[in-house]
Amino acid sequence: LEENHIDNILLLIDDGDIDKIENYFSNSHDGYLIIGTSPMQEDAILDYFRKNKTPYIIINRWIHKPYINYVNIDDMNAAYLATTHLIKLNHRKIAYIGGNKEYRHSELRLLGYKKALKDNNVDVPPNLIFQGEYSEKYGFEAGKSLFSMPDRPTAAFTAGDLIAIGLQSYVYEHGLFIPNDLSLVTFGSISPSPFSRPKLTAIDIPFRDMGEQAATALIMQMNVKKVVGIQILMDAPLNI
């Protein structure tokens, strides 16, 4: 944006103001980059932009609708890679610990996990699928549940690094170790914990590249008014 001499303004939207969404955009700007929104916010914002023909790109979200402009990673494929990695390490009891299930990317990550298991003829046990919040607290609580099982899993895939931090905290507070007592693969580029010995295998989300792609796409929309339906899915590699 700076290279193209474009000013930027940060807008923060609260769920309680969804019915007044037009107030946030009353001072018209040339275009918008959207990130960190809830599904409720996304529906309201995108409906408003569509009606007003406003250029925008939504980042780190996949919305399966025509003419929605987004830049996102392939969440389903990334989860598939992470789960397949654990299967190749001879794990057959692999837990999935996800965040808010109403989020669209949560659904895709769960689908990728299930598909990897099915493609490798591994059962998908419902009792090993956990969905709650993308938080350390939830990761810690999931750790309690996992290790209280009489026939507990040998590996886990966490769909967010905050969840991994909480899960690791539980493991180490109880005198256990990763990967000796639980193999763990997480989703995200943040180093989950200083306790990691060795460093965790993780899906690397290319945030910088996503931002550059989104800004380039937004500028294109602002300059070429007839451009619609920009949809970019990026690879997210597994760092071992």
mmCIF file of all heavy atoms in Angstrom, residues 139-180:
data_model
loop_
_atom_site.group_PDB
_atom_site.id
_atom_site.type_symbol
_atom_site.label_atom_id
_atom_site.label_comp_id
_atom_site.label_asym_id
_atom_site.label_seq_id
_atom_site.Cartn_x
_atom_site.Cartn_y
_atom_site.Cartn_z
ATOM 1 N N GLY A 139 -7.003 -25.612 25.368
ATOM 2 C CA GLY A 139 -5.974 -26.621 25.133
ATOM 3 C C GLY A 139 -5.633 -27.379 26.401
ATOM 4 O O GLY A 139 -5.438 -28.603 26.385
ATOM 5 N N PHE A 140 -5.584 -26.660 27.524
ATOM 6 C CA PHE A 140 -5.292 -27.291 28.818
ATOM 7 C C PHE A 140 -6.427 -28.242 29.202
ATOM 8 O O PHE A 140 -6.189 -29.383 29.637
ATOM 9 C CB PHE A 140 -5.120 -26.212 29.886
ATOM 10 C CG PHE A 140 -4.541 -26.714 31.179
ATOM 11 C CD1 PHE A 140 -3.164 -26.696 31.392
ATOM 12 C CD2 PHE A 140 -5.366 -27.200 32.183
ATOM 13 C CE1 PHE A 140 -2.628 -27.163 32.591
ATOM 14 C CE2 PHE A 140 -4.835 -27.668 33.377
ATOM 15 C CZ PHE A 140 -3.458 -27.644 33.582
ATOM 16 N N GLU A 141 -7.667 -27.791 29.016
ATOM 17 C CA GLU A 141 -8.828 -28.632 29.348
ATOM 18 C C GLU A 141 -8.881 -29.873 28.459
ATOM 19 O O GLU A 141 -9.234 -30.969 28.924
ATOM 20 C CB GLU A 141 -10.110 -27.816 29.186
ATOM 21 C CG GLU A 141 -10.264 -26.714 30.230
ATOM 22 C CD GLU A 141 -11.443 -25.806 29.940
ATOM 23 O OE1 GLU A 141 -12.042 -25.946 28.854
ATOM 24 O OE2 GLU A 141 -11.759 -24.958 30.791
ATOM 25 N N ALA A 142 -8.520 -29.707 27.193
ATOM 26 C CA ALA A 142 -8.498 -30.858 26.288
ATOM 27 C C ALA A 142 -7.433 -31.859 26.730
ATOM 28 O O ALA A 142 -7.633 -33.077 26.622
ATOM 29 C CB ALA A 142 -8.228 -30.391 24.858
ATOM 30 N N GLY A 143 -6.320 -31.353 27.256
ATOM 31 C CA GLY A 143 -5.280 -32.235 27.780
ATOM 32 C C GLY A 143 -5.805 -33.100 28.913
ATOM 33 O O GLY A 143 -5.526 -34.301 28.989
ATOM 34 N N LYS A 144 -6.597 -32.494 29.803
ATOM 35 C CA LYS A 144 -7.212 -33.263 30.887
ATOM 36 C C LYS A 144 -8.049 -34.406 30.332
ATOM 37 O O LYS A 144 -7.986 -35.543 30.812
ATOM 38 C CB LYS A 144 -8.112 -32.358 31.740
ATOM 39 C CG LYS A 144 -7.397 -31.364 32.632
ATOM 40 C CD LYS A 144 -8.439 -30.590 33.424
ATOM 41 C CE LYS A 144 -7.798 -29.514 34.280
ATOM 42 N NZ LYS A 144 -8.820 -28.722 35.016
ATOM 43 N N SER A 145 -8.850 -34.080 29.332
ATOM 44 C CA SER A 145 -9.737 -35.089 28.755
ATOM 45 C C SER A 145 -8.951 -36.207 28.086
ATOM 46 O O SER A 145 -9.259 -37.393 28.247
ATOM 47 C CB SER A 145 -10.676 -34.437 27.731
ATOM 48 O OG SER A 145 -11.499 -33.472 28.343
ATOM 49 N N LEU A 146 -7.921 -35.851 27.337
ATOM 50 C CA LEU A 146 -7.121 -36.854 26.618
ATOM 51 C C LEU A 146 -6.460 -37.832 27.576
ATOM 52 O O LEU A 146 -6.514 -39.053 27.397
ATOM 53 C CB LEU A 146 -6.049 -36.177 25.760
ATOM 54 C CG LEU A 146 -6.484 -35.402 24.514
ATOM 55 C CD1 LEU A 146 -5.255 -34.891 23.767
ATOM 56 C CD2 LEU A 146 -7.332 -36.256 23.600
ATOM 57 N N PHE A 147 -5.820 -37.286 28.597
ATOM 58 C CA PHE A 147 -5.024 -38.133 29.484
ATOM 59 C C PHE A 147 -5.849 -38.834 30.558
ATOM 60 O O PHE A 147 -5.311 -39.628 31.330
ATOM 61 C CB PHE A 147 -3.880 -37.323 30.098
ATOM 62 C CG PHE A 147 -2.756 -37.067 29.136
ATOM 63 C CD1 PHE A 147 -2.735 -35.930 28.350
ATOM 64 C CD2 PHE A 147 -1.731 -37.991 28.981
ATOM 65 C CE1 PHE A 147 -1.711 -35.701 27.441
ATOM 66 C CE2 PHE A 147 -0.702 -37.784 28.079
ATOM 67 C CZ PHE A 147 -0.702 -36.636 27.298
ATOM 68 N N SER A 148 -7.140 -38.534 30.604
ATOM 69 C CA SER A 148 -8.015 -39.265 31.517
ATOM 70 C C SER A 148 -8.635 -40.484 30.840
ATOM 71 O O SER A 148 -9.290 -41.297 31.495
ATOM 72 C CB SER A 148 -9.129 -38.348 32.025
ATOM 73 O OG SER A 148 -9.990 -37.967 30.972
ATOM 74 N N MET A 149 -8.409 -40.623 29.534
ATOM 75 C CA MET A 149 -8.967 -41.764 28.811
ATOM 76 C C MET A 149 -8.206 -43.038 29.143
ATOM 77 O O MET A 149 -6.968 -43.031 29.181
ATOM 78 C CB MET A 149 -8.884 -41.515 27.299
ATOM 79 C CG MET A 149 -9.774 -40.422 26.791
ATOM 80 S SD MET A 149 -9.606 -40.221 24.993
ATOM 81 C CE MET A 149 -10.869 -38.981 24.686
ATOM 82 N N PRO A 150 -8.905 -44.140 29.365
ATOM 83 C CA PRO A 150 -8.217 -45.404 29.643
ATOM 84 C C PRO A 150 -7.393 -45.895 28.461
ATOM 85 O O PRO A 150 -6.349 -46.505 28.631
ATOM 86 C CB PRO A 150 -9.370 -46.369 29.956
ATOM 87 C CG PRO A 150 -10.581 -45.743 29.354
ATOM 88 C CD PRO A 150 -10.374 -44.271 29.434
ATOM 89 N N ASP A 151 -7.863 -45.601 27.263
ATOM 90 C CA ASP A 151 -7.143 -45.979 26.050
ATOM 91 C C ASP A 151 -6.872 -44.699 25.263
ATOM 92 O O ASP A 151 -7.454 -44.458 24.205
ATOM 93 C CB ASP A 151 -7.979 -46.964 25.226
ATOM 94 C CG ASP A 151 -7.180 -47.556 24.070
ATOM 95 O OD1 ASP A 151 -5.938 -47.510 24.118
ATOM 96 O OD2 ASP A 151 -7.822 -48.041 23.116
ATOM 97 N N ARG A 152 -5.977 -43.884 25.812
ATOM 98 C CA ARG A 152 -5.788 -42.536 25.279
ATOM 99 C C ARG A 152 -5.057 -42.538 23.930
ATOM 100 O O ARG A 152 -4.360 -43.505 23.591
ATOM 101 C CB ARG A 152 -5.017 -41.683 26.291
ATOM 102 C CG ARG A 152 -3.598 -42.132 26.584
ATOM 103 C CD ARG A 152 -2.932 -41.176 27.561
ATOM 104 N NE ARG A 152 -1.570 -41.569 27.887
ATOM 105 C CZ ARG A 152 -0.530 -41.326 27.124
ATOM 106 N NH1 ARG A 152 -0.688 -40.701 25.964
ATOM 107 N NH2 ARG A 152 0.691 -41.704 27.494
ATOM 108 N N PRO A 153 -5.190 -41.437 23.184
ATOM 109 C CA PRO A 153 -4.505 -41.342 21.899
ATOM 110 C C PRO A 153 -2.997 -41.209 22.066
ATOM 111 O O PRO A 153 -2.512 -40.759 23.110
ATOM 112 C CB PRO A 153 -5.100 -40.074 21.282
ATOM 113 C CG PRO A 153 -5.547 -39.267 22.457
ATOM 114 C CD PRO A 153 -6.015 -40.262 23.476
ATOM 115 N N THR A 154 -2.272 -41.585 21.024
ATOM 116 C CA THR A 154 -0.800 -41.462 21.047
ATOM 117 C C THR A 154 -0.335 -40.188 20.364
ATOM 118 O O THR A 154 0.839 -39.828 20.446
ATOM 119 C CB THR A 154 -0.153 -42.665 20.338
ATOM 120 O OG1 THR A 154 -0.610 -42.712 18.976
ATOM 121 C CG2 THR A 154 -0.521 -43.966 21.041
ATOM 122 N N ALA A 155 -1.257 -39.500 19.672
ATOM 123 C CA ALA A 155 -0.900 -38.280 18.952
ATOM 124 C C ALA A 155 -2.094 -37.337 18.919
ATOM 125 O O ALA A 155 -3.241 -37.749 19.122
ATOM 126 C CB ALA A 155 -0.457 -38.609 17.528
ATOM 127 N N ALA A 156 -1.806 -36.058 18.660
ATOM 128 C CA ALA A 156 -2.866 -35.069 18.557
ATOM 129 C C ALA A 156 -2.509 -34.032 17.502
ATOM 130 O O ALA A 156 -1.334 -33.682 17.327
ATOM 131 C CB ALA A 156 -3.112 -34.386 19.898
ATOM 132 N N PHE A 157 -3.522 -33.559 16.817
ATOM 133 C CA PHE A 157 -3.387 -32.442 15.885
ATOM 134 C C PHE A 157 -4.218 -31.303 16.440
ATOM 135 O O PHE A 157 -5.435 -31.418 16.594
ATOM 136 C CB PHE A 157 -3.867 -32.841 14.491
ATOM 137 C CG PHE A 157 -4.063 -31.675 13.547
ATOM 138 C CD1 PHE A 157 -3.095 -30.692 13.418
ATOM 139 C CD2 PHE A 157 -5.222 -31.568 12.797
ATOM 140 C CE1 PHE A 157 -3.275 -29.621 12.562
ATOM 141 C CE2 PHE A 157 -5.417 -30.501 11.932
ATOM 142 C CZ PHE A 157 -4.438 -29.524 11.812
ATOM 143 N N THR A 158 -3.560 -30.193 16.791
ATOM 144 C CA THR A 158 -4.275 -29.021 17.294
ATOM 145 C C THR A 158 -4.453 -28.022 16.157
ATOM 146 O O THR A 158 -3.501 -27.725 15.431
ATOM 147 C CB THR A 158 -3.527 -28.363 18.463
ATOM 148 O OG1 THR A 158 -2.203 -28.000 18.054
ATOM 149 C CG2 THR A 158 -3.434 -29.312 19.649
ATOM 150 N N ALA A 159 -5.658 -27.493 16.023
ATOM 151 C CA ALA A 159 -5.978 -26.625 14.899
ATOM 152 C C ALA A 159 -5.585 -25.170 15.123
ATOM 153 O O ALA A 159 -5.943 -24.297 14.341
ATOM 154 C CB ALA A 159 -7.468 -26.715 14.589
ATOM 155 N N GLY A 160 -4.845 -24.893 16.182
ATOM 156 C CA GLY A 160 -4.361 -23.542 16.456
ATOM 157 C C GLY A 160 -3.244 -23.584 17.475
ATOM 158 O O GLY A 160 -3.231 -24.453 18.351
ATOM 159 N N ASP A 161 -2.287 -22.639 17.371
ATOM 160 C CA ASP A 161 -1.132 -22.732 18.269
ATOM 161 C C ASP A 161 -1.442 -22.345 19.707
ATOM 162 O O ASP A 161 -0.764 -22.805 20.627
ATOM 163 C CB ASP A 161 0.090 -21.961 17.759
ATOM 164 C CG ASP A 161 -0.200 -20.893 16.750
ATOM 165 O OD1 ASP A 161 -1.301 -20.335 16.746
ATOM 166 O OD2 ASP A 161 0.699 -20.613 15.957
ATOM 167 N N LEU A 162 -2.470 -21.529 19.955
ATOM 168 C CA LEU A 162 -2.842 -21.259 21.342
ATOM 169 C C LEU A 162 -3.338 -22.529 22.025
ATOM 170 O O LEU A 162 -3.055 -22.774 23.204
ATOM 171 C CB LEU A 162 -3.922 -20.177 21.403
ATOM 172 C CG LEU A 162 -3.487 -18.758 21.042
ATOM 173 C CD1 LEU A 162 -4.673 -17.806 21.086
ATOM 174 C CD2 LEU A 162 -2.389 -18.281 21.991
ATOM 175 N N ILE A 163 -4.065 -23.341 21.267
ATOM 176 C CA ILE A 163 -4.517 -24.631 21.809
ATOM 177 C C ILE A 163 -3.306 -25.491 22.144
ATOM 178 O O ILE A 163 -3.269 -26.157 23.190
ATOM 179 C CB ILE A 163 -5.419 -25.361 20.798
ATOM 180 C CG1 ILE A 163 -6.686 -24.545 20.522
ATOM 181 C CG2 ILE A 163 -5.812 -26.750 21.324
ATOM 182 C CD1 ILE A 163 -7.566 -25.118 19.419
ATOM 183 N N ALA A 164 -2.301 -25.480 21.261
ATOM 184 C CA ALA A 164 -1.093 -26.277 21.494
ATOM 185 C C ALA A 164 -0.359 -25.831 22.754
ATOM 186 O O ALA A 164 0.159 -26.653 23.506
ATOM 187 C CB ALA A 164 -0.165 -26.181 20.285
ATOM 188 N N ILE A 165 -0.321 -24.524 22.993
ATOM 189 C CA ILE A 165 0.342 -24.005 24.197
ATOM 190 C C ILE A 165 -0.344 -24.562 25.444
ATOM 191 O O ILE A 165 0.300 -25.027 26.386
ATOM 192 C CB ILE A 165 0.315 -22.465 24.218
ATOM 193 C CG1 ILE A 165 1.189 -21.902 23.100
ATOM 194 C CG2 ILE A 165 0.808 -21.940 25.575
ATOM 195 C CD1 ILE A 165 1.094 -20.391 22.966
ATOM 196 N N GLY A 166 -1.670 -24.506 25.471
ATOM 197 C CA GLY A 166 -2.412 -25.024 26.624
ATOM 198 C C GLY A 166 -2.225 -26.509 26.811
ATOM 199 O O GLY A 166 -2.050 -26.992 27.942
ATOM 200 N N LEU A 167 -2.235 -27.255 25.714
ATOM 201 C CA LEU A 167 -2.048 -28.701 25.791
ATOM 202 C C LEU A 167 -0.651 -29.035 26.305
ATOM 203 O O LEU A 167 -0.479 -29.913 27.166
ATOM 204 C CB LEU A 167 -2.270 -29.330 24.417
ATOM 205 C CG LEU A 167 -2.055 -30.845 24.314
ATOM 206 C CD1 LEU A 167 -2.936 -31.594 25.307
ATOM 207 C CD2 LEU A 167 -2.334 -31.317 22.892
ATOM 208 N N GLN A 168 0.346 -28.331 25.804
ATOM 209 C CA GLN A 168 1.715 -28.544 26.287
ATOM 210 C C GLN A 168 1.830 -28.245 27.776
ATOM 211 O O GLN A 168 2.519 -28.958 28.510
ATOM 212 C CB GLN A 168 2.688 -27.655 25.519
ATOM 213 C CG GLN A 168 3.024 -28.155 24.121
ATOM 214 C CD GLN A 168 4.046 -27.258 23.479
ATOM 215 O OE1 GLN A 168 3.795 -26.082 23.257
ATOM 216 N NE2 GLN A 168 5.195 -27.804 23.171
ATOM 217 N N SER A 169 1.180 -27.185 28.212
ATOM 218 C CA SER A 169 1.230 -26.828 29.636
ATOM 219 C C SER A 169 0.712 -27.974 30.495
ATOM 220 O O SER A 169 1.307 -28.324 31.527
ATOM 221 C CB SER A 169 0.402 -25.561 29.898
ATOM 222 O OG SER A 169 0.944 -24.459 29.222
ATOM 223 N N TYR A 170 -0.400 -28.553 30.067
ATOM 224 C CA TYR A 170 -0.949 -29.683 30.822
ATOM 225 C C TYR A 170 0.033 -30.846 30.843
ATOM 226 O O TYR A 170 0.278 -31.453 31.895
ATOM 227 C CB TYR A 170 -2.280 -30.141 30.231
ATOM 228 C CG TYR A 170 -2.871 -31.299 31.002
ATOM 229 C CD1 TYR A 170 -3.679 -31.079 32.109
ATOM 230 C CD2 TYR A 170 -2.575 -32.619 30.655
ATOM 231 C CE1 TYR A 170 -4.197 -32.137 32.849
ATOM 232 C CE2 TYR A 170 -3.080 -33.682 31.385
ATOM 233 C CZ TYR A 170 -3.885 -33.441 32.475
ATOM 234 O OH TYR A 170 -4.369 -34.489 33.212
ATOM 235 N N VAL A 171 0.594 -31.166 29.690
ATOM 236 C CA VAL A 171 1.522 -32.297 29.573
ATOM 237 C C VAL A 171 2.702 -32.132 30.530
ATOM 238 O O VAL A 171 3.026 -33.034 31.315
ATOM 239 C CB VAL A 171 2.008 -32.445 28.125
ATOM 240 C CG1 VAL A 171 3.181 -33.424 28.044
ATOM 241 C CG2 VAL A 171 0.878 -32.919 27.220
ATOM 242 N N TYR A 172 3.330 -30.968 30.513
ATOM 243 C CA TYR A 172 4.538 -30.779 31.318
ATOM 244 C C TYR A 172 4.242 -30.597 32.806
ATOM 245 O O TYR A 172 5.040 -30.988 33.655
ATOM 246 C CB TYR A 172 5.350 -29.608 30.766
ATOM 247 C CG TYR A 172 5.993 -29.941 29.438
ATOM 248 C CD1 TYR A 172 5.558 -29.334 28.271
ATOM 249 C CD2 TYR A 172 6.996 -30.902 29.343
ATOM 250 C CE1 TYR A 172 6.117 -29.650 27.041
ATOM 251 C CE2 TYR A 172 7.563 -31.232 28.126
ATOM 252 C CZ TYR A 172 7.124 -30.609 26.981
ATOM 253 O OH TYR A 172 7.680 -30.933 25.761
ATOM 254 N N GLU A 173 3.083 -30.021 33.117
ATOM 255 C CA GLU A 173 2.714 -29.879 34.528
ATOM 256 C C GLU A 173 2.466 -31.233 35.186
ATOM 257 O O GLU A 173 2.521 -31.351 36.422
ATOM 258 C CB GLU A 173 1.460 -29.005 34.672
ATOM 259 C CG GLU A 173 1.735 -27.526 34.531
ATOM 260 C CD GLU A 173 0.504 -26.688 34.792
ATOM 261 O OE1 GLU A 173 -0.447 -27.203 35.440
ATOM 262 O OE2 GLU A 173 0.482 -25.522 34.371
ATOM 263 N N HIS A 174 2.214 -32.248 34.387
ATOM 264 C CA HIS A 174 1.937 -33.582 34.919
ATOM 265 C C HIS A 174 3.108 -34.545 34.688
ATOM 266 O O HIS A 174 2.931 -35.770 34.712
ATOM 267 C CB HIS A 174 0.645 -34.141 34.309
ATOM 268 C CG HIS A 174 -0.571 -33.424 34.795
ATOM 269 N ND1 HIS A 174 -0.957 -32.197 34.325
ATOM 270 C CD2 HIS A 174 -1.500 -33.767 35.755
ATOM 271 C CE1 HIS A 174 -2.054 -31.799 34.958
ATOM 272 N NE2 HIS A 174 -2.404 -32.730 35.827
ATOM 273 N N GLY A 175 4.291 -33.973 34.505
ATOM 274 C CA GLY A 175 5.500 -34.788 34.412
ATOM 275 C C GLY A 175 5.608 -35.619 33.149
ATOM 276 O O GLY A 175 6.343 -36.624 33.131
ATOM 277 N N LEU A 176 4.912 -35.221 32.113
ATOM 278 C CA LEU A 176 4.945 -35.950 30.849
ATOM 279 C C LEU A 176 5.741 -35.158 29.822
ATOM 280 O O LEU A 176 6.126 -34.004 30.060
ATOM 281 C CB LEU A 176 3.508 -36.189 30.345
ATOM 282 C CG LEU A 176 2.595 -36.922 31.335
ATOM 283 C CD1 LEU A 176 1.152 -36.888 30.854
ATOM 284 C CD2 LEU A 176 3.063 -38.358 31.525
ATOM 285 N N PHE A 177 5.978 -35.768 28.679
ATOM 286 C CA PHE A 177 6.820 -35.115 27.679
ATOM 287 C C PHE A 177 6.262 -35.318 26.266
ATOM 288 O O PHE A 177 5.607 -36.322 25.970
ATOM 289 C CB PHE A 177 8.250 -35.657 27.747
ATOM 290 C CG PHE A 177 8.962 -35.355 29.031
ATOM 291 C CD1 PHE A 177 8.932 -36.265 30.084
ATOM 292 C CD2 PHE A 177 9.624 -34.154 29.205
ATOM 293 C CE1 PHE A 177 9.558 -35.980 31.285
ATOM 294 C CE2 PHE A 177 10.256 -33.866 30.405
ATOM 295 C CZ PHE A 177 10.232 -34.778 31.442
ATOM 296 N N ILE A 178 6.543 -34.331 25.438
ATOM 297 C CA ILE A 178 6.250 -34.402 24.009
ATOM 298 C C ILE A 178 7.589 -34.541 23.284
ATOM 299 O O ILE A 178 8.512 -33.771 23.544
ATOM 300 C CB ILE A 178 5.520 -33.122 23.536
ATOM 301 C CG1 ILE A 178 4.124 -33.060 24.186
ATOM 302 C CG2 ILE A 178 5.421 -33.059 22.021
ATOM 303 C CD1 ILE A 178 3.375 -31.775 23.935
ATOM 304 N N PRO A 179 7.754 -35.506 22.390
ATOM 305 C CA PRO A 179 6.754 -36.431 21.855
ATOM 306 C C PRO A 179 6.707 -37.802 22.544
ATOM 307 O O PRO A 179 5.987 -38.674 22.082
ATOM 308 C CB PRO A 179 7.220 -36.605 20.411
ATOM 309 C CG PRO A 179 8.704 -36.558 20.504
ATOM 310 C CD PRO A 179 9.008 -35.562 21.598
ATOM 311 N N ASN A 180 7.451 -37.988 23.634
ATOM 312 C CA ASN A 180 7.508 -39.310 24.271
ATOM 313 C C ASN A 180 6.129 -39.822 24.676
ATOM 314 O O ASN A 180 5.796 -40.993 24.445
ATOM 315 C CB ASN A 180 8.409 -39.254 25.507
ATOM 316 C CG ASN A 180 9.817 -38.786 25.174
ATOM 317 O OD1 ASN A 180 9.992 -37.802 24.464
ATOM 318 N ND2 ASN A 180 10.821 -39.468 25.693
#
